[in-house]
Amino acid sequence: MQIRVEQIGDSEAIGRITYEAFLNHPHHEPGAQPTEHLIVERLRGQGALVLSLVALEQERVVGHIAVSPVTIDGEDLGWVGLAPVSVTPNSQGQGIGSALVNEAILRLSTQGVNGVVLVGDPAYYGRFGFVAESSLTYPGVPAQYFMARSLKGSVPCGEVAYHPAFG
């Protein structure tokens, strides 16, 4: 498997993989269609992808991770949101998502990013150093599922807002 920055021509595969990865996702309403692929398209179209990585197996895109800016109490404090992470269903459970998260964290830490937030399963993301931080809140999500990881400095205090592309 190879991980690289998204290139021109990857967007169709990323959209397909993201849609398939979130189809019938347990956190969606039963029967609801995924919208995560549309978020990635809007982030890309608005130039708001801080980092967009793809995982390749035999030159075929099988995974994707998107990172975009967030604000904390309306201010840019150098923090980003990691979402969504997508792996094609027939390649899930093979470490591709973990490799994408690890690579994203590595690259973000060398780009001067102060920290990363995400909404996700604590059992999964805890292994990457993400924890629920009482000082950070995200409306509408149970506190244990909103997690953060500082890459430098302390964790700020306030309400997090994702890029408007998240709708």
Side-chain angles (χ1 to χ4, degrees), residues 27-159:
H27 295 292
H28 286 179
E29 292 290 325
Q33 294 298 304
T35 58
E36 288 79 2
H37 65 295
L38 301 175
I39 293 169
V40 175
E41 287 176 16
R42 288 190 298 263
L43 287 168
R44 186 183 300 110
Q46 295 175 28
L49 285 170
V50 171
L51 184 63
S52 180
L53 300 174
V54 294
L56 302 167
E57 284 185 341
Q58 300 173 356
E59 302 300 317
R60 188 174 63 89
V61 178
V62 295
H64 176 255
I65 191 167
V67 179
S68 58
V70 298
T71 58
I72 301 172
D73 281 348
E75 295 183 55
D76 177 358
L77 300 179
W79 280 64
V80 296
L82 190 150
V85 180
S86 309
V87 177
T88 189
N90 60 358
S91 296
Q92 292 176 2
Q94 299 175 19
I96 296 168
S98 294
L100 283 164
V101 171
N102 283 324
E103 183 68 19
I105 291 169
L106 176 67
R107 289 179 186 232
L108 293 167
S109 66
T110 64
Q111 292 177 359
V113 170
N114 292 330
V116 183
V117 295
L118 59 81
V119 175
D121 181 358
Y124 181 78
Y125 288 103
R127 65 179 130 173
F128 306 106
F130 287 92
V131 296
E133 293 282 353
S134 61
S135 65
L136 289 174
T137 60
Y138 183 62
V141 174
Q144 70 268 26
Y145 294 105
F146 184 66
M147 294 170 283
R149 177 176 168 179
S150 175
L151 299 179
K152 66 179 184 181
S154 60
V155 175
C157 182
E159 185 175 295

